[in-house]
Amino acid sequence: LNKARAGYNLLDDEDRHPVLGADTVVVVDGEILGKPENAEHGKAMLARLSGTTHQVMSAVALMGHDKKAVKLNISTVRFCPLSATDIDAYWAMDESHDKAGAYAVQGQAARYIEEICGSYSGIMGLPLFETAGILQEFGITPY
């Protein structure tokens, strides 16, 4: 909601339309994993996810003049065990450096994912079902 509000407040009064904001975190054993700060941090995140089940939480918010809405999507992802070689090779691909949990489900990390329960688009970072619902609440047709 803060992202959407900040974007909305940047608009001129005459150009103010609803603004969408979204954010994603990965949670494993109660620990929140955001975006990696550097290679060491990213590789440590991947090692932490290795052979475990974790949650991906993606929130989406829409901010308008006199209305706001927020929805949360929670999905579960199970990674296979990763070797140090797997982690080094994946990190070297550069696709995960700005992703929560240091991986991108839509990229090469898919080969490490044994199971997904929930929303693929939510794991990618924008839960489309929830986004469409919020748009409809604002009277915006999402197609």
Side-chain angles (χ1 to χ4, degrees), residues 77 90 95 99 103-111 113 116 120-125:
V77 179
Y90 181 67
E95 76 176 18
K99 305 289 188 281
Y103 77 92
V105 67
Q106 70 274 24
Q108 294 297 314
R111 67 178 151 187
I113 296 172
I116 291 173
Y120 183 80
S121 65
I123 298 166
M124 281 181 38

Side-chain angles (χ1 to χ4, degrees), residues 78-91:
R78 186 172 68 228
F79 263 43
C80 70
L82 302 174
S83 68
T85 301
D86 291 332
I87 291 169
D88 288 342
Y90 181 67
W91 183 259

Side-chain angles (χ1 to χ4, degrees), residues 64-134:
H65 173 66
D66 58 354
K67 188 174 183 177
K68 60 187 174 191
V70 180
K71 292 188 183 281
L72 175 66
N73 175 272
I74 301 174
S75 299
T76 302
V77 179
R78 186 172 68 228
F79 263 43
C80 70
L82 302 174
S83 68
T85 301
D86 291 332
I87 291 169
D88 288 342
Y90 181 67
W91 183 259
M93 292 179 201
D94 291 340
E95 76 176 18
S96 64
H97 298 187
D98 65 342
K99 305 289 188 281
Y103 77 92
V105 67
Q106 70 274 24
Q108 294 297 314
R111 67 178 151 187
Y112 306 127
I113 296 172
E114 292 180 346
E115 184 177 21
I116 291 173
C117 182
S119 169
Y120 183 80
S121 65
I123 298 166
M124 281 181 38
L126 183 63
L128 296 179
F129 178 81
E130 289 79 4
T131 301
I134 284 180

